[in-house]
Amino acid sequence: MLVVMRQDAAKSDVDHVIASIEGVGLQAHVSEGKFRTIIGAVGDRELIVDMPFEAMPGVEKAIPISKPFKFVASEFKPGGTVVDIGGVLVGRSHMTFIAGPCSIESDTQAIESAIAVKAAGAQLLRGGAFKPRTSPYSFQGLGRPGLELLAECRRVTGLPVVTEVIDARDIDPVSEVADCLQIGARNMQNFLLLSEVGRQDKPVLLKRGFSNTVEELLMSAEYVAKGGNADIVFCERGIRTFEKTTRATLDVAAISVLRKQSHLPVIVDPSHAAGRADLVLPLALAGVAAGADGVMVEVHPDPSSALSDGEQALRLDELKDFIDQVRAVAVAVGSI
Ligand code: PEP
Ligand code: MN
């Protein structure tokens, strides 16, 4: 149940609603909007439906949410959420570019990439130190030394860093360096990891699993939000279909559906969907035309020698033109 307070509700009215919710053993989650406060009552449905919220002072209306996800539902925050990643804003009328190599491989590869990413106009640097690889014989990432290189990239360029966490035991060391924790496609339903990142305060970039529905993605975000961390950005990165010409099939509709069903920002990752560099630009354009709030793209100083995902990496000197073209579509569709 969402209890929407009137614009002129007093703090004592808000406190009264919270006390009534907590008084029957339910949880109250308060969202302070610019104009009004919304309180989510979560717990036993039977208890919630009988509570006379609309008779309480300062309450405008009480909206039952029958959906299985609540904190991430659009009704919870009708104005939309803008997530702050190290001072860079993602969501609603901000078009945010996240770029960098798939994996952090060496100091020269990392620093050269970071400097080029900044020069091309991207606002956030990506790069994996811990890599979830399909084969145990593939490069697994540099691990902690990779995190140190990311910290160095941030010192040199000032760009906030997005990097993946694949194990709840690594959350502390990763969040010492990261401005945003990426949960990859393979971990979208690692519920323990989702709950743990929900209990810390760095924003979370949640990628869609390649065999998961949009509703399952929303439920995974609900795990994070339920832990207290509502700074979540969705990422559509393609799903597995019968089509073989691309690595995955970019589900463009999912971007629009997420924008309607949730108040959280949505970005598109055309690199993992395409799996080949020549299709990265058209897929990014499609994603932004469908309403994506940003783009995450893989780049590499020498794609042919990359230790992971080289086939889909743009060269560093291609990034500026890529960003310019995507931005033009964002302007054309009125996103910025
Ligand atoms: C990545 O971003 O490098 C990555 C591993 O992506 P995904 O989890 O979408 O496969
Ligand atoms: Mn990759």
Side-chain angles (χ1 to χ4, degrees), residues 101-103 126-128 130-133 164 182-187 205 207-210 235-238 247 269 272-273 296 298 308-309 312:
C102 178
S103 304
R126 64 148 287 146
F130 293 96
K131 296 300 300 179
R133 303 305 301 281
E164 182 163 353
Q182 176 174 322
I183 301 289
R186 290 156 191 80
N187 271 316
L205 177 67
K207 300 189 83 173
R208 180 178 179 189
F210 34 67
C235 180
E236 165 58 37
R237 46 79 73 213
R247 183 175 176 184
D269 168 355
H272 291 86
M296 179 155 88
E298 289 188 344
S308 62
D309 288 352
Q312 67 199 34

Side-chain angles (χ1 to χ4, degrees), residues 18 22 38 52 70 128 175 178 200 231 242 257 270 286 315 333:
I18 295 171
E22 292 179 345
I38 297 179
K70 307 198 185 321
S175 46
Q200 56 84 57
D231 289 332
F242 52 78
V257 173
R315 293 192 319 269
V333 297

Side-chain angles (χ1 to χ4, degrees), residues 236-265:
E236 165 58 37
R237 46 79 73 213
I239 52 173
R240 210 166 252 180
T241 68
F242 52 78
E243 183 51 58
K244 295 261 193 296
T245 50
T246 49
R247 183 175 176 184
T249 298
L250 184 68
D251 184 1
V252 176
I255 296 168
S256 305
V257 173
L258 286 165
R259 287 288 308 271
K260 281 184 190 296
Q261 299 214 348
S262 175
H263 56 86
L264 295 169

Side-chain angles (χ1 to χ4, degrees), residues 92-151:
R92 316 286 140 159
S93 79
H94 302 278
M95 180 53 49
T96 313
F97 290 90
I98 307 172
C102 178
S103 304
I104 297 298
E105 300 169 2
S106 68
D107 53 355
T108 46
Q109 176 254 13
I111 301 286
E112 192 184 339
S113 301
I115 290 172
V117 162
K118 166 125 188 193
Q123 302 102 312
L124 295 167
L125 176 69
R126 64 148 287 146
F130 293 96
K131 296 300 300 179
R133 303 305 301 281
T134 301
S135 164
Y137 304 112
S138 300
F139 176 58
Q140 305 285 311
L142 294 179
R144 292 200 182 208
L147 292 178
E148 283 160 29
L149 291 176
L150 280 168

